[in-house]
Coordinates of all heavy atoms in Angstrom, one line a residue:
T236 N -27.1 -10.7 -36.9 CA -27.1 -10.7 -38.4 C -28.5 -10.4 -38.9 O -28.6 -10.0 -40.1 CB -26.7 -12.1 -38.9 OG1 -27.6 -13.1 -38.3 CG2 -25.3 -12.4 -38.5
G237 N -29.6 -10.5 -38.1 CA -30.9 -10.1 -38.6 C -31.2 -8.7 -38.4 O -32.2 -8.2 -38.8
D238 N -30.3 -8.0 -37.7 CA -30.4 -6.5 -37.4 C -29.0 -5.9 -37.4 O -28.6 -5.4 -36.4 CB -31.1 -6.3 -36.1 CG -31.4 -4.9 -35.8 OD1 -31.5 -4.1 -36.7 OD2 -31.6 -4.6 -34.6
P239 N -28.3 -5.9 -38.6 CA -26.9 -5.5 -38.6 C -26.7 -4.0 -38.4 O -25.5 -3.6 -38.0 CB -26.5 -5.9 -40.0 CG -27.7 -5.9 -40.8 CD -28.8 -6.3 -39.9
K240 N -27.7 -3.1 -38.5 CA -27.5 -1.7 -38.4 C -27.4 -1.2 -36.9 O -26.9 -0.2 -36.6 CB -28.6 -0.9 -39.1 CG -28.5 -1.1 -40.6 CD -29.6 -0.3 -41.3 CE -29.5 -0.4 -42.8 NZ -30.5 0.4 -43.5
N241 N -28.0 -2.0 -36.0 CA -28.0 -1.6 -34.6 C -27.0 -2.3 -33.8 O -27.0 -3.5 -33.6 CB -29.4 -1.9 -34.0 CG -30.5 -1.1 -34.6 OD1 -30.3 0.2 -34.7 ND2 -31.6 -1.7 -35.0
L242 N -26.0 -1.5 -33.3 CA -24.9 -2.1 -32.5 C -25.4 -2.2 -31.0 O -26.0 -1.2 -30.5 CB -23.7 -1.2 -32.6 CG -22.8 -1.3 -33.8 CD1 -21.6 -0.4 -33.8 CD2 -22.4 -2.7 -34.1
E243 N -25.0 -3.2 -30.4 CA -25.3 -3.4 -28.9 C -24.0 -3.5 -28.2 O -22.9 -3.7 -28.8 CB -26.1 -4.7 -28.7 CG -27.4 -4.8 -29.5 CD -28.5 -3.9 -29.0 OE1 -28.4 -3.5 -27.8 OE2 -29.4 -3.6 -29.8
I244 N -24.0 -3.4 -26.9 CA -22.7 -3.5 -26.1 C -22.9 -4.5 -25.0 O -23.9 -4.8 -24.5 CB -22.4 -2.1 -25.5 CG1 -23.4 -1.6 -24.5 CG2 -22.1 -1.1 -26.6 CD1 -23.0 -0.4 -23.7
K245 N -21.7 -5.0 -24.7 CA -21.6 -6.0 -23.6 C -20.3 -5.7 -22.8 O -19.2 -5.5 -23.4 CB -21.5 -7.4 -24.1 CG -21.2 -8.5 -23.1 CD -21.1 -9.9 -23.8 CE -20.8 -11.0 -22.8 NZ -21.8 -11.2 -21.8
K246 N -20.3 -5.6 -21.5 CA -19.2 -5.2 -20.7 C -18.4 -6.4 -20.2 O -19.0 -7.4 -19.8 CB -19.6 -4.4 -19.5 CG -20.4 -3.1 -19.8 CD -19.5 -2.0 -20.3 CE -20.2 -0.7 -20.5 NZ -19.3 0.4 -20.9
I247 N -17.1 -6.4 -20.3 CA -16.2 -7.5 -19.7 C -15.0 -6.8 -19.1 O -14.7 -5.6 -19.3 CB -15.8 -8.5 -20.8 CG1 -15.1 -7.7 -22.0 CG2 -17.0 -9.3 -21.3 CD1 -14.5 -8.7 -23.0
Q248 N -14.3 -7.6 -18.3 CA -13.0 -7.1 -17.7 C -11.9 -8.0 -18.1 O -12.0 -9.2 -18.2 CB -13.2 -7.1 -16.2 CG -13.9 -5.9 -15.7 CD -13.8 -5.8 -14.2 OE1 -13.7 -6.8 -13.4 NE2 -13.8 -4.6 -13.6
L249 N -10.7 -7.4 -18.2 CA -9.5 -8.1 -18.5 C -8.5 -7.8 -17.4 O -8.2 -6.6 -17.2 CB -8.9 -7.8 -19.8 CG -7.5 -8.4 -20.1 CD1 -7.6 -9.9 -20.2 CD2 -6.9 -7.8 -21.4
F250 N -8.0 -8.8 -16.7 CA -7.0 -8.6 -15.6 C -5.6 -8.9 -16.2 O -5.4 -10.0 -16.7 CB -7.3 -9.5 -14.4 CG -8.5 -9.2 -13.6 CD1 -9.7 -9.7 -14.0 CD2 -8.4 -8.4 -12.5 CE1 -10.9 -9.3 -13.3 CE2 -9.6 -8.0 -11.8 CZ -10.8 -8.5 -12.2
V251 N -4.7 -8.0 -16.2 CA -3.4 -8.2 -16.6 C -2.5 -8.1 -15.4 O -2.3 -7.1 -14.7 CB -2.9 -7.1 -17.6 CG1 -1.5 -7.3 -18.0 CG2 -3.8 -7.1 -18.8
N252 N -1.9 -9.3 -15.0 CA -1.1 -9.4 -13.9 C 0.3 -8.8 -14.2 O 0.8 -8.8 -15.3 CB -0.9 -10.9 -13.4 CG -2.3 -11.4 -13.0 OD1 -3.0 -10.8 -12.3 ND2 -2.5 -12.7 -13.4
A253 N 1.0 -8.5 -13.1 CA 2.4 -8.0 -13.3 C 3.3 -9.2 -13.8 O 3.1 -10.3 -13.3 CB 3.0 -7.5 -12.0
N254 N 4.2 -8.9 -14.7 CA 5.1 -10.0 -15.1 C 6.0 -10.3 -13.9 O 6.6 -9.4 -13.3 CB 5.9 -9.5 -16.3 CG 6.8 -10.6 -16.9 OD1 7.4 -11.4 -16.3 ND2 6.8 -10.6 -18.3
P255 N 6.1 -11.6 -13.6 CA 6.9 -12.0 -12.4 C 8.4 -11.5 -12.6 O 9.1 -11.3 -11.6 CB 6.8 -13.5 -12.4 CG 6.2 -13.9 -13.6 CD 5.4 -12.8 -14.1
K256 N 8.9 -11.4 -13.8 CA 10.2 -10.9 -14.0 C 10.4 -9.5 -13.5 O 11.5 -9.1 -13.0 CB 10.6 -10.9 -15.5 CG 10.6 -12.2 -16.2 CD 11.0 -12.0 -17.7 CE 11.0 -13.4 -18.4 NZ 11.2 -13.2 -19.9
D257 N 9.3 -8.7 -13.6 CA 9.4 -7.3 -13.2 C 9.5 -7.1 -11.7 O 9.8 -6.0 -11.2 CB 8.3 -6.5 -13.7 CG 8.3 -6.4 -15.2 OD1 9.4 -6.6 -15.8 OD2 7.2 -6.2 -15.8
L258 N 9.2 -8.2 -10.9 CA 9.2 -8.1 -9.5 C 10.7 -8.3 -8.9 O 10.9 -8.1 -7.7 CB 8.3 -9.2 -8.9 CG 6.8 -9.1 -9.3 CD1 6.0 -10.2 -8.7 CD2 6.2 -7.7 -9.0
W259 N 11.6 -8.6 -9.8 CA 13.0 -8.8 -9.4 C 13.8 -7.6 -9.8 O 13.7 -7.1 -11.0 CB 13.6 -10.1 -10.1 CG 12.9 -11.4 -9.6 CD1 11.7 -11.9 -9.9 CD2 13.5 -12.3 -8.7 NE1 11.5 -13.0 -9.3 CE2 12.6 -13.4 -8.6 CE3 14.8 -12.4 -8.1 CZ2 12.9 -14.5 -7.7 CZ3 15.0 -13.5 -7.2 CH2 14.1 -14.5 -7.1
K260 N 14.7 -7.2 -8.9 CA 15.6 -6.1 -9.3 C 16.7 -6.6 -10.2 O 17.0 -7.8 -10.2 CB 16.2 -5.5 -8.0 CG 15.2 -4.9 -7.0 CD 15.9 -4.4 -5.8 CE 14.9 -3.9 -4.7 NZ 15.6 -3.5 -3.5
N261 N 17.3 -5.7 -10.9 CA 18.4 -6.0 -11.8 C 19.5 -5.0 -11.5 O 19.7 -4.0 -12.2 CB 18.0 -6.0 -13.2 CG 19.1 -6.5 -14.2 OD1 20.0 -7.1 -13.7 ND2 18.9 -6.3 -15.4
I262 N 20.2 -5.2 -10.4 CA 21.3 -4.3 -9.9 C 22.6 -4.7 -10.6 O 23.0 -5.9 -10.4 CB 21.4 -4.4 -8.4 CG1 20.0 -4.0 -7.8 CG2 22.5 -3.4 -7.9 CD1 20.0 -4.3 -6.3
P263 N 23.3 -3.8 -11.3 CA 24.5 -4.2 -11.9 C 25.6 -4.6 -10.9 O 25.6 -4.0 -9.8 CB 24.9 -2.9 -12.7 CG 23.7 -2.1 -12.8 CD 22.8 -2.5 -11.6

């Protein structure tokens, strides 16, 4: 807030796991 014109960056990671529902087949 004391230097609003200068943008800085910070790196992070997001892990998105597979939905457990998708691991099951749905055979008619």
Side-chain angles (χ1 to χ4, degrees):
T236 55
D238 184 21
K240 292 183 179 180
N241 290 316
L242 286 179
E243 306 286 339
I244 62 171
K245 174 182 177 65
K246 301 286 187 179
I247 55 172
Q248 281 189 326
L249 173 64
F250 291 85
V251 179
N252 298 317
N254 190 317
K256 294 180 184 178
D257 295 337
L258 304 177
W259 292 76
K260 296 176 184 176
N261 187 14
I262 304 170

